[in-house]
Amino acid sequence: MAAVPQPSAALTADRAIAADAEMLSAQLQAMRNRLFPPTAQKALRKFTSGEAAKLIGVSDGYLRQLSIAGEGPQPETGANGRRLYSLAEINALRHHLAEAGGPKAKTYLPRRDPSANEHMQVIAVTNFKGGSGKTTTSAHLAQHLAMAGFRVLAVDLDPQASMSALFGYQPELDLTGNDTLYGAIRYDGERRLMRDIIRKTYFDGLDLIPGNLELQEFEHTTPQMLADRQHGAQQSIEQQLFFARVQAALDTIADDYDVVVIDCPPQLGFLTLSALCAATSVLVTVHPQMLDVASMSQFLFMTADLLAVVREAGGELNFDFMRYLITRFEPNDAPQQQIAGFLRSLFGDRVLTSAVVKSTAFSDAGLTKQTLYEVSRDSFTRATYDRAIESLSSVNAEIQGLIFKAWNRPV
């Protein structure tokens, strides 16, 4: 094994750190090239007819009848005779079934109906303590909703860009500048249209606004804008109300999406505040350890104080739902069970009934920058995979039910 070059002792701290960053970036790029060659693009696996039927909400036998009758998109047939569907083909089948009308039409294609006052759901996933499973929750929720037939936009608002990495981006290499949400909310003349920043993903029905370090610019320029306002500088309403900028940007693309999932930074800065002001709903991820719960207490105090200031300045703060989600949960760990019970006794039904279990399946899938929805069951010990996917599906189905409730639909 080749020796890893070490930064010279004579290097200043900033240069030593920069050298480490360059070495790490180069190795990550080499790893990506092995997994996904430069000419290749990350793609989503195909689904068996049984999986496709379950996603659509019909029986496998009915799906076979449609295929034999030549109705809707025709699946790929493998050497063993198994029928395989891409997510795009599954969504085309949804359209085909919904166009037939009937009481189940909205079940097949659950997109929101603006004429029924079903507004775009903007779900902010937040906590300012790292390791609470925030990015894992955001990515899997966005993918679950896309596979359920919704039009979804995932927004990576974290400068560390972990969710972008899951979707196949290496921020320092794949983004050239002004490619994040900062491009649509910045204060100067370089501001871009929101739709010009959005990128398609390999998940049909799921788009992405990636993140990288340039998002930090919003944390640096906003205090200057506030200082200019305090000193009487002439500014537009849009420039004065920093907390309304994310919402204003999202409003420009509201007709194109049913749900927006925002992965917030692990800090309570201007980006997180702006995301909370844009949100129609909030998920707070909680790792059931006493130190994490104590940290969450301070996070809630700070959030309440800052949002009160925003409200007094004219910001609207009306959430359809706010829920606490227990993550990285070990059911056989007695102290974790106690803390989960403690949270439920305090907050009642504001704690989601389901929890995301701690599982090696998440980290194993992450080795290839994939989520559990992207890998096949055969890639894991089946009991491990089933346990993890069952907890995920329960959590995301519960959140989907809350979305339907906000739209006044039967759950």
Side-chain angles (χ1 to χ4, degrees):
M1 182 175 177
V4 177
Q6 298 295 322
S8 167
L11 287 179
T12 58
D14 60 321
R15 289 175 179 168
I17 292 171
D20 285 351
E22 288 175 6
M23 284 192 293
L24 180 57
S25 178
Q27 288 302 311
L28 289 172
Q29 174 67 358
M31 186 184 300
R32 184 173 69 165
N33 286 341
R34 288 196 298 272
L35 295 171
F36 310 107
T39 54
Q41 297 217 345
K42 197 176 178 190
L44 180 61
R45 68 180 179 88
K46 293 205 169 185
F47 297 86
T48 66
S49 59
E51 290 175 317
K54 187 176 180 181
L55 285 172
I56 296 170
V58 297
S59 69
D60 193 8
Y62 182 57
L63 212 56
R64 180 179 287 106
Q65 289 177 6
L66 288 175
S67 178
I68 293 171
E71 293 187 42
Q74 295 304 297
E76 172 190 321
T77 304
N80 56 3
R82 296 178 73 187
R83 290 168 294 125
L84 298 171
Y85 293 85
S86 68
L87 183 55
E89 289 165 344
I90 291 171
N91 283 331
L93 276 168
R94 284 191 171 105
H95 280 278
H96 174 74
L97 294 170
E99 284 168 2
K104 293 191 71 176
K106 222 168 191 177
T107 303
Y108 295 134
L109 199 64
R111 293 179 175 180
R112 68 189 179 91
D113 182 0
S115 66
N117 293 321
E118 294 180 349
H119 55 272
M120 182 175 72
Q121 272 291 317
V122 181
I123 303 175
V125 184
T126 185
N127 197 330
F128 74 179
K129 186 170 178 63
S132 66
K134 183 174 53 62
T135 297
T136 300
T137 299
S138 303
H140 284 91
L141 174 60
Q143 291 180 350
H144 167 89
L145 293 172
M147 291 191 298
F150 296 92
R151 299 168 301 166
V152 184
L153 175 64
V155 179
D156 192 348
L157 210 55
D158 186 348
Q160 296 177 78
S162 298
M163 186 162 71
S164 300
L166 269 178
F167 281 100
Y169 288 95
Q170 191 168 338
E172 71 273 18
L173 299 177
D174 298 329
L175 306 182
T176 57
N178 230 18
D179 294 328
T180 71
L181 187 65
Y182 176 65
I185 62 174
R186 60 190 300 162
Y187 299 100
D188 57 25
E190 298 299 316
R191 190 163 56 250
R192 298 178 65 188
L193 294 175
M194 186 75 153
R195 64 184 68 255
D196 293 339
I197 297 170
I198 294 171
R199 301 185 179 212
K200 295 290 180 185
T201 73
Y202 49 91
F203 259 81
D204 190 64
L206 173 56
D207 295 342
L208 173 72
I209 295 181
N212 72 0
L213 287 173
E214 79 173 12
L215 285 164
Q216 280 296 116
E217 289 298 314
F218 192 68
E219 304 292 347
H220 301 149
T221 55
T222 297
Q224 182 60 53
M225 181 277 298
L226 292 172
D228 290 344
R229 180 190 176 201
Q230 192 170 11
H231 289 101
Q234 293 295 318
Q235 294 182 323
S236 69
I237 295 296
E238 183 186 15
Q239 288 175 316
Q240 290 174 348
L241 304 176
F242 79 88
F243 49 80
R245 300 180 80 80
V246 173
Q247 181 177 343
L250 289 174
D251 285 346
T252 64
I253 47 87
D255 291 342
D256 301 329
Y257 299 98
D258 305 307
V259 185
V260 177
V261 178
I262 303 178
D263 183 21
C264 294
Q267 61 190 50
L268 200 54
F270 294 113
L271 281 170
T272 301
L273 270 179
S274 298
L276 290 173
C277 291
T280 60
S281 306
V282 176
L283 282 177
V284 180
T285 54
V286 189
H287 182 216
Q289 297 277 11
M290 187 50 72
L291 286 178
D292 292 76
V293 171
S295 174
M296 188 182 79
S297 171
Q298 297 305 305
F299 168 75
L300 293 176
F301 273 123
M302 291 170 62
T303 303
D305 289 344
L306 290 170
L307 289 181
V309 173
V310 168
R311 177 172 46 78
E312 290 167 4
E316 292 186 12
L317 301 169
N318 298 306
F319 298 145
D320 291 327
F321 62 85
M322 177 178 173
R323 293 292 186 274
Y324 300 100
L325 169 61
I326 295 173
T327 58
R328 298 176 58 212
F329 180 53
E330 299 177 72
N332 297 325
D333 186 312
Q336 288 201 16
Q337 283 186 332
Q338 287 181 342
I339 290 174
F342 167 70
L343 290 172
R344 294 187 194 283
S345 68
L346 278 180
F347 301 128
D349 62 5
R350 292 204 305 281
V351 180
L352 289 179
T353 303
S354 305
V356 180
V357 298
K358 183 177 182 180
S359 173
T360 57
F362 292 107
S363 52
D364 288 348
L367 285 173
T368 52
K369 293 185 180 178
Q370 291 180 295
T371 67
L372 283 192
Y373 291 134
E374 297 177 62
V375 296
S376 67
R377 188 170 178 242
D378 298 336
S379 305
F380 300 93
T381 303
R382 294 202 168 186
T384 301
Y385 176 85
D386 289 346
R387 177 171 169 268
I389 204 74
E390 182 182 349
S391 81
L392 262 183
S393 298
S394 296
V395 166
N396 289 331
E398 196 172 341
I399 296 168
Q400 184 175 323
L402 291 169
I403 293 172
F404 284 157
K405 187 176 178 182
W407 289 342
N408 292 316
R409 285 195 204 176
V411 178

